Amino acid sequence: MAGKLPVRRSAGGPSVRWRSRGAVLLSVPAGVLAAVLFLAGCAQPVVPIERLGRKAAEGVRPHVRPLAAPPSRLPLPPVVDHVPTRDRVVFLTYDATDHPAAPGELRLPVSRFTPGLRPLAGTPYATQRAALCARRTRLLRPPRGAYDPTTLRAAADCGVTAVVLWRATLTPTGLTYPRGPHHLRRGDIVRLLPDAPTARLLDALRRRNLTAARLEDYLG
């Protein structure tokens, strides 16, 4: 019959011919043809990365999970243990982790901080930002007074206006000063520890002609 090609058999099995507009293009054993078609269906084309689009090329890079909120360029809050002032005042503070309630026997303004127990310094930005923004405070005292540049960046992005440390500590044995003069000065921030002798603090205030003021009124 016109238009049909005979099928030739060989030692390896039947062969298949193709005709294109009256010309024979190829004759191969059927088994070889089947293997070639199978492999062609499984293979994936190899495309040089230069031919990929920019976005497609980025897709072959290692995946890095972006931060929930990238750091901003807001000014960093100051770190203070002393407030410059002409008023003859000091600022008394205590940590909620040390005192379950404010030392009421002082009958003086005392600022309460909730620094938490878990240190922030050394942890990633996203971790510090989540912890600090949850506090919703403008005056921050980091846990144990420890902080790093990431703490300051996260604090700025959470609306903190100052990181508050202390220059003097009222301990059970009296006032201690990590640095500077070993007496109270106006503007000093004092941290009160549990079981501290408040009578010694009051005596030190009288001798230096000082009184206590609300820290929030000076650092708000």
Side-chain angles (χ1 to χ4, degrees):
M1 181 179 294
K4 289 187 177 181
L5 291 175
V7 177
R8 297 175 52 191
R9 295 183 178 276
S10 63
S15 298
V16 178
R17 293 182 180 181
W18 288 278
R19 179 183 297 273
S20 176
R21 298 185 182 275
V24 176
L25 300 180
L26 181 64
S27 177
V28 295
V32 175
L33 176 62
V36 171
L37 293 176
F38 175 78
L39 293 175
C42 296
Q44 297 294 329
V46 178
V47 181
I49 193 168
E50 293 82 1
R51 293 177 57 189
L52 295 174
R54 180 175 61 85
K55 292 185 178 179
E58 291 176 352
V60 301
R61 298 173 183 170
H63 178 64
V64 178
R65 185 178 181 181
L67 297 175
S72 72
R73 296 183 178 273
L74 293 172
L76 300 181
V79 180
V80 299
D81 61 7
H82 179 91
V83 179
T85 178
R86 294 183 177 181
D87 300 334
R88 301 198 63 81
V89 297
V90 298
F91 307 99
L92 308 181
T93 68
Y94 77 98
D95 295 349
T97 52
D98 296 333
H99 294 269
E105 66 274 13
L106 286 174
R107 296 185 180 181
L108 294 172
V110 182
S111 298
R112 177 181 182 268
F113 288 94
T114 55
L117 296 173
R118 181 176 299 179
L120 294 176
T123 60
Y125 167 83
T127 301
Q128 297 203 40
R129 186 180 190 278
L132 297 183
C133 287
R135 300 180 189 180
R136 299 182 179 181
T137 180
R138 299 184 67 82
L139 300 182
L140 168 70
R141 173 164 289 171
R144 304 175 187 174
Y147 66 95
D148 60 13
T150 303
T151 309
L152 300 182
R153 169 52 53 212
D157 295 343
C158 291
V160 172
T161 57
V163 175
V164 181
L165 303 183
W166 55 91
R167 200 190 78 82
T169 303
L170 184 64
T171 72
T173 59
L175 284 165
T176 62
Y177 304 87
R179 67 178 186 84
H182 285 203
H183 59 77
L184 289 177
R185 302 175 301 174
R186 58 187 178 187
D188 280 347
I189 299 174
V190 183
R191 181 187 178 192
L192 309 179
L193 294 185
D195 302 321
T198 55
R200 291 191 181 184
L201 174 62
L202 295 175
D203 182 60
L205 292 176
R206 282 192 295 266
R207 284 188 286 106
R208 302 295 301 179
N209 192 26
L210 297 168
T211 188
R214 291 181 73 250
L215 184 62
E216 293 81 356
D217 293 340
Y218 288 76
L219 283 182

